[in-house]
Amino acid sequence: MPYLDVRIAREESADVAEKVVAALMKRTSEILGKKPDVTSIAIGFVSPALWFVGGKRVSAQNAVTFYLDIKVTDGTNTKSEKAEYIKQVFADFEAILGPITPASYIVIHDVRADSWGFQGQTQEYRFIQAQSL
């Protein structure tokens, strides 16, 4: 389980969305070790005329920008894994989207296991249930 929320400053494209999802599924599974069947991704496109970097419209910068917010269970990934994930995802986005503004962000939130879950159960509950007594 993680939840990924992506915003991209470009015109909406189902093809781009599918490529972004494929790249995120691969990196999230391979680098962060997350299960694909409980990985949820939302993608939104924002008009480049309405996104600003350095006080200037992205539409005037001959580049694309994005923001990726990913939530994972606290303590399930190392600093090195997260650094590698950010590096690889940025490179994937650049390959998919073309030139990207430096102010494109990837934020990994480590959420406490007792503060989130899926299918009506917290991650902490799942951990406790998996322990043999």
Side-chain angles (χ1 to χ4, degrees):
M1 140 184 187
Y3 171 70
L4 296 84
D5 188 10
V6 183
R7 298 289 175 248
I8 304 170
R10 65 159 286 154
E11 298 307 315
E12 188 171 319
S13 166
D15 183 54
V16 167
E18 288 179 9
K19 288 177 182 175
V20 166
V21 167
L24 289 173
M25 290 297 292
K26 175 181 167 111
R27 301 301 183 191
T28 304
S29 172
E30 291 178 359
I31 297 172
L32 299 181
K34 305 306 179 194
K35 296 178 183 176
D37 59 327
V38 290
T39 297
S40 183
I41 303 173
I43 298 184
F45 292 91
V46 178
S47 169
L50 300 175
W51 194 316
F52 296 79
V53 173
K56 298 177 184 170
R57 294 176 196 269
V58 172
S59 59
Q61 297 187 33
N62 197 28
V64 175
T65 194
F66 71 90
Y67 173 74
L68 168 60
D69 182 270
I70 174 172
K71 292 174 175 52
V72 299
T73 304
D74 187 32
T76 60
N77 293 104
T78 66
K79 289 180 182 184
S80 295
E81 288 168 337
K82 291 184 275 187
E84 183 65 18
Y85 182 81
I86 289 170
K87 176 183 173 185
Q88 293 298 324
V89 168
F90 192 91
D92 290 340
F93 274 51
E94 198 163 40
I96 294 165
L97 301 172
I100 295 177
T101 67
S104 296
Y105 296 98
I106 299 171
V107 181
I108 301 173
H109 296 273
D110 291 301
V111 182
R112 287 180 24 182
D114 65 349
S115 296
W116 85 317
F118 64 97
Q119 209 172 22
Q121 297 177 340
T122 67
Q123 291 298 85
E124 183 171 4
Y125 177 81
R126 282 187 169 78
F127 174 78
I128 292 168
Q129 288 301 108
Q131 302 303 304
S132 59
L133 300 176

